[in-house]
C-alpha cells in the first residue's frame, strides 16, 4: 500500500524527470541549433570566398577584353608596323606577358619576339579548333615551365584571325587565391579541365584529400571556375561546440528550473485532488454499522475512495492527510454530502437509521461545516440521523467549541473517531461532550491476541458506559471479536465480518439481503 510520502515522492520524481528531460532536450536543441548555424555560416563563408574571388578575377579580365577589342584593328598589318603599338599596349597591362597576333590561322607577330611563323591550330588547338576563349598552359618561350593563361579574342567568325593575350596567371592566383583557414585550405583556378592551385606552379588536376571536401563556383562572364578544398563544415562546426557548451548548459538549466516551477502546481497532490473532483474520480462508499444486540443495520459510515487515472487506487490514509494539509478536505467533505443527498431516496426512511460523515477539524473553523450543512444537507429534508465523526488527528481550537454546541442544538450527533489513538482524548470527552465513541480497529484487532491493548479496550468501554456515551467498535473481522465486544456491552459493530465497504448505490441491495438473512 502506498504511503503519502511515496505518493509525494513519485510526484517529485516525475517533476524531476520532466525537468531533466526538458534540460537535456534544450541542451541538445541548443547545441544542434548552434551546430547547424555554424555549419551554415562556414558554408556561406566558402561561397562568399568563391564569389568574391570570381568577381575579382572578372574585374581583372574585363580591362583585357577592352584592350583586346581596341587592338584587333592591328590584326593583319605587318608585324614591323604594329609591334611598337603592341609593346606600348603591353606596358599598360600589368598582368599580360605578351600579345600575339593571329591572321589566317598563323601566329605571325609577337610583342616580344617580333615576326613569327607558327601554326595556330598546331600550337593551340583548344583555341583554334575547339573555340575555347581561355587556355591554361605552360610558357614555352619566355619563362619556360611557368603557368600562363591564354585569353583568345577572335576577329573573324571562322576563328582563324584574332588576338591572344598571354596572362601571368601565377601572379594573379597568388594574389587572389590565398586560402582563408580553417574553412578554405586550398583554392584552385580551373580552365578547360586544367587547374592551377595557390602556391603550386604546376598545372595539374587538383583532387581533395581523404579528409577534405570541395566546393566549386563558376564565373558567369568567363569560362573559368574556382574550386575550394577544406575540412567538412560539419567537422569545423563540431569543433566550435565546446565553446557553446557553457551557454547551452545555462539555458537548459534555466529552462528546467522554469519547468520545475511550472509543474509544481500540476504535478502535486493538491492539483491531483482538485482535478480528481472535477473529473469525477472520487467515489463515495459506505460500510454498514450493525446493532450488536439485534443484528439490524443501524446506519452507515460514508467513506471516500479515489481511483486516480494516473496512479490507480489511492488509499484514504494517503490522500486524506494530504488533503487536510492542502486545505482541500472541505471540498471533499462537500462532495460526500452531495453524493449522500443524491442517494437519500433509496435509504431507510426512519430516524433510528443514521448516516455518519467524517469531518476534519479544519472544517469546523469559521462555521464552515454549519454553512455546508445548511446549504447541502438540510434542504433535502433528510430523515436519517446525521452523525459527524471527528478524527483525533487534529486538535480543535477553543473557538470551535461554539460550532460543536450549535451542532448539538440542531440534532446532529458528534462522534469521536479512532478514539484512543490520538491526543487529548480525555479532554475531548469533557469539552466536546460526544454522543458516540468509535473504538479504533487497532484495539479491536488486539482482542484475544494482545493482553495490554485488550485491557485498554475494556477501559474505553467502561469509561464510555459510565459517561453514557454510545460505543461503535471498528475493524470487527472475526466472530470471536464480535462476541467479545457484544458481551461487554458495545452498542454497534462495524467491520469486514459484517460487510466490506461498498459503493453507495449498492447499499439498498445489501440491506435487502441482510434483512432476509436476519429473518431467516
Amino acid at each position: 500500500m502506498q504511503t503519502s510520502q511515496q505518493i509525494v515522492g513519485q510526484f517529485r520524481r516525475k517533476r524531476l524527470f520532466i525537468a531533466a528531460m526538458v534540460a537535456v532536450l534544450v541542451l541538445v536543441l541548443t547545441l544542434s541549433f548552434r551546430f547547424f548555424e555554424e555549419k551554415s555560416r562556414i558554408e556561406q563563408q566558402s561561397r562568399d570566398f568563391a564569389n568574391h574571388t570570381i568577381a575579382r578575377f572578372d574585374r581583372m579580365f574585363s580591362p583585357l577584353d577592352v584592350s583586346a577589342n581596341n587592338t584587333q584593328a592591328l590584326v593583319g598589318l605587318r608585324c614591323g608596323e604594329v609591334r611598337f603599338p603592341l609593346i606600348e599596349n603591353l606596358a599598360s597591362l600589368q598582368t599580360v606577358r605578351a600579345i600575339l597576333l593571329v591572321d589566317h590561322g598563323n601566329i605571325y607577330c609577337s610583342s616580344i619576339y617580333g615576326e613569327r611563323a607558327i601554326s595556330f591550330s598546331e600550337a593551340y588547338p583548344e583555341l583554334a579548333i575547339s573555340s575555347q576563349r581561355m587556355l591554361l598552359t605552360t610558357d614555352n618561350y619566355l619563362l619556360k615551365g611557368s603557368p600562363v593563361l591564354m585569353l583568345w579574342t577572335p576577329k573573324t567568325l571562322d576563328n582563324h584571325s584574332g588576338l591572344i593575350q598571354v596572362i601571368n596567371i601565377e601572379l594573379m592566383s597568388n594574389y587572389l587565391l590565398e586560402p582563408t583557414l580553417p574553412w578554405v585550405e586550398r583554392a584552385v583556378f580551373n580552365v578547360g579541365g586544367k587547374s592551377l592551385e595557390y602556391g603550386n606552379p604546376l598545372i595539374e588536376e587538383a583532387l581533395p584529400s581523404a579528409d577534405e571536401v570541395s566546393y566549386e563556383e563558376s564565373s558567369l562572364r568567363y569560362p573559368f571556375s574556382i574550386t575550394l578544398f577544406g575540412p567538412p563544415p560539419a567537422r569545423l562546426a563540431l569543433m566550435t561546440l565546446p565553446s557553446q557548451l557553457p551557454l547551452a548548459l545555462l539555458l537548459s538549466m534555466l529552462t528546467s528550473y522554469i519547468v520545475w516551477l511550472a509543474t509544481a502546481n500540476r504535478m502535486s497532490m493538491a492539483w491531483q485532488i482538485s482535478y480528481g473532483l472535477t473529473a469525477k474520480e472520487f467515489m463515495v462508499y459506505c460500510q454498514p454499522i450493525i446493532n450488536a444486540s439485534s443484528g439490524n443495520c443501524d446506519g452507515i459510515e460514508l467513506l471516500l475512495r479515489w481511483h486516480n487515472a494516473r496512479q490507480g487506487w489511492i488509499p484514504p490514509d494517503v490522500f486524506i492527510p494530504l488533503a487536510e494539509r492542502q486545505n482541500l478536505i472541505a471540498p471533499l467533505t462537500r462532495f460526500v454530502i452531495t453524493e449522500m443527498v443524491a442517494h437519500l431516496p433509496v435509504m431507510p426512511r426512519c430516524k433510528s437509521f443514521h448516516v455518519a460523515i467524517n469531518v476534519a477539524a479544519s472544517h469546523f473553523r469559521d462555521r464552515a461545516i454549519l454553512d455546508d450543512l445548511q446549504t447541502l444537507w438540510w434542504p433535502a429534508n433528510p430523515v436519517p440521523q446525521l452523525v459527524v465523526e471527528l478524527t483525533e488527528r487534529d486538535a480543535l481550537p477553543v473557538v470551535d467549541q461554539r460550532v460543536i454546541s450549535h451542532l448539538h442544538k440542531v440534532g446532529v450527533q458528534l462522534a469521536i473517531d479512532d478514539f484512543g489513538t490520538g491526543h487529548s482524548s480525555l479532554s475531548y470527552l469533557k469539552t466536546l461532550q460526544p454522543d458516540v465513541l468509535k473504538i479504533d480497529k487497532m484495539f479491536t484487532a488486539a482482542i484475544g491476541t494482545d493482553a495490554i491493548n485488550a485491557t485498554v479496550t475494556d477501559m474505553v468501554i467502561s469509561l464510555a458506559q459510565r459517561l453514557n456515551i454510545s460505543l461503535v467498535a471498528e475493524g470487527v473481522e472475526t466472530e470471536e471479536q464480535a462476541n467479545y465486544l457484544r458481551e461487554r456491552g458495545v452498542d454497534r459493530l462495524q467491520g469486514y465480518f459484517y460487510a466490506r465497504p461498498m459503493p453507495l448505490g449498492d447499499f439498498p441491495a445489501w440491506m435487502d439481503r441482510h434483512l432476509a438473512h436476519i429473518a431467516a
Side-chain angles (χ1 to χ4, degrees):
M1 182 178 292
Q2 299 183 87
T3 65
S4 59
Q5 291 81 5
Q6 289 175 328
I7 295 291
V8 173
Q10 288 178 4
F11 283 121
R12 287 178 178 173
R13 285 191 293 272
K14 285 184 177 180
R15 288 177 62 200
L16 182 61
F17 176 77
I18 292 174
M21 289 298 99
V22 170
V24 172
L25 180 61
V26 170
L27 180 63
V28 171
L29 289 178
T30 302
L31 292 178
S32 298
F33 174 78
R34 293 294 301 133
F35 167 78
F36 287 110
E37 184 181 48
E38 184 66 18
K39 180 174 176 289
S40 177
R41 186 183 69 84
I42 292 171
E43 292 172 345
Q44 185 60 47
Q45 286 177 327
S46 299
R47 288 191 292 269
D48 292 344
F49 180 93
N51 292 329
H52 181 64
T53 302
I54 287 173
R56 297 182 69 181
F57 270 111
D58 287 345
R59 286 197 298 269
M60 298 192 75
F61 290 145
S62 183
L64 303 184
D65 270 348
V66 175
S67 175
N69 290 330
N70 293 336
T71 310
Q72 278 189 353
L74 302 179
V75 176
L77 301 179
R78 287 190 313 108
C79 187
E81 296 177 1
V82 299
R83 187 181 177 194
F84 181 76
L86 290 179
I87 294 173
E88 193 176 52
N89 192 18
L90 188 65
S92 65
L93 301 173
Q94 298 178 354
T95 58
V96 179
R97 288 188 184 181
I99 299 176
L100 306 178
L101 299 181
V102 180
D103 189 32
H104 296 94
N106 291 311
I107 301 174
Y108 74 95
C109 185
S110 168
S111 62
I112 296 177
Y113 297 105
E115 292 186 7
R116 309 290 284 173
I118 303 172
S119 172
F120 181 40
S121 59
E122 292 180 3
Y124 307 112
E126 296 89 345
L127 303 179
I129 301 173
S130 301
S131 300
Q132 291 183 196
R133 279 209 65 198
M134 284 184 172
L135 173 63
L136 191 60
T137 184
T138 54
D139 190 350
N140 295 322
Y141 299 101
L142 185 59
L143 297 176
K144 293 185 177 182
S146 64
V148 291
L149 177 68
M150 301 287 191
L151 180 59
W152 166 241
T153 305
K155 182 179 180 181
T156 59
L157 295 176
D158 59 10
N159 212 46
H160 290 166
S161 299
L163 180 142
I164 299 175
Q165 293 172 298
V166 183
I167 302 170
N168 188 359
I169 192 60
E170 185 176 15
L171 175 64
M172 295 179 65
S173 64
N174 287 339
Y175 175 63
L176 298 178
L177 295 179
E178 182 177 0
T180 302
L181 298 176
W183 35 278
V184 176
E185 293 180 339
R186 299 159 57 200
V188 179
F189 182 82
N190 309 294
V191 174
K194 297 180 181 180
S195 303
L196 177 65
E197 183 176 345
Y198 173 86
N200 183 4
L202 301 178
I203 296 176
E204 57 185 4
E205 184 180 5
L207 298 174
S209 60
D211 60 344
E212 286 184 330
V213 294
S214 62
Y215 173 75
E216 185 172 348
E217 188 75 21
S218 299
S219 171
L220 299 178
R221 295 180 59 188
Y222 298 95
F224 74 90
S225 64
I226 299 296
T227 302
L228 306 179
F229 296 100
R235 190 177 75 190
L236 292 177
L238 282 174
M239 293 172 62
T240 66
L241 288 187
S243 64
Q244 306 296 328
L245 190 58
L247 180 61
L249 284 173
L250 180 62
L251 183 61
S252 65
M253 292 174 64
L254 177 62
T255 307
S256 66
Y257 180 66
I258 293 174
V259 171
W260 173 266
L261 295 179
T263 56
N265 183 42
R266 186 178 181 87
M267 298 293 293
S268 67
M269 183 58 74
W271 186 89
Q272 294 288 328
I273 293 175
S274 299
Y275 178 80
L277 281 170
T278 304
K280 302 186 182 302
E281 293 179 349
F282 286 95
M283 292 164 283
V284 177
Y285 277 48
C286 66
Q287 188 172 30
I289 299 175
I290 306 300
N291 188 296
S293 301
S294 64
N296 292 324
C297 178
D298 279 1
I300 55 175
E301 179 185 0
L302 300 183
L303 305 170
L304 193 60
R305 294 294 183 263
W306 183 17
H307 185 266
N308 187 293
R310 298 152 297 282
Q311 300 285 334
W313 287 99
I314 299 180
D317 56 354
V318 171
F319 70 83
I320 293 296
L322 288 172
E324 290 177 353
R325 288 200 294 269
Q326 298 293 334
N327 295 322
L328 290 172
I329 194 66
L332 292 177
T333 304
R334 295 186 191 105
F335 172 78
V336 172
I337 296 173
T338 302
E339 289 295 301
M340 184 62 227
V341 168
H343 287 82
L344 278 176
V346 296
M347 294 293 155
R349 299 186 62 81
C350 56
K351 292 185 178 181
S352 61
F353 185 85
H354 70 271
V355 175
I357 301 176
N358 289 279
V359 179
S362 59
H363 206 160
F364 284 75
R365 296 188 183 98
D366 300 325
R367 299 175 55 89
I369 183 63
L370 294 177
D371 294 339
D372 289 339
L373 291 177
Q374 188 68 34
T375 303
L376 303 173
W377 181 255
W378 299 121
N381 298 316
V383 176
Q385 171 75 47
L386 179 64
V387 178
V388 172
E389 294 188 6
L390 177 63
T391 177
E392 285 194 85
R393 207 165 14 238
D394 298 316
L396 282 177
V398 175
V399 67
D400 290 331
Q401 308 313 313
R402 285 180 266 173
V403 178
I404 301 296
S405 300
H406 188 86
L407 289 175
H408 283 133
K409 288 180 182 179
V410 296
V412 176
Q413 291 188 348
L414 180 67
I416 297 181
D417 196 14
D418 302 332
F419 184 77
T421 60
H423 56 277
S424 303
S425 298
L426 294 178
S427 66
Y428 277 173
L429 297 180
K430 177 181 178 181
T431 58
L432 303 181
Q433 300 179 357
D435 303 287
V436 180
L437 290 184
K438 300 195 74 173
I439 301 173
D440 186 77
K441 59 185 177 182
M442 177 184 70
F443 298 109
T444 304
I447 295 174
T449 60
D450 187 337
I452 295 178
N453 278 330
T455 302
V456 173
T457 303
D458 291 343
M459 294 174 61
V460 171
I461 294 173
S462 176
L463 177 64
Q465 290 172 344
R466 290 192 177 190
L467 295 176
N468 196 27
I469 298 176
S470 178
L471 278 170
V472 176
E474 296 180 307
V476 179
E477 297 186 357
T478 65
E479 186 174 2
E480 178 187 2
Q481 295 171 351
N483 292 334
Y484 181 92
L485 294 166
R486 189 181 298 111
E487 290 171 359
R488 282 158 178 75
V490 175
D491 303 290
R492 298 183 181 92
L493 307 177
Q494 176 183 352
Y496 288 179
F497 179 69
Y498 296 101
R500 290 179 173 273
M502 66 191 73
L504 197 55
D506 294 347
F507 176 73
W510 179 90
M511 188 68 169
D512 291 341
R513 292 194 300 271
H514 182 70
L515 292 175
H517 177 72
I518 294 176

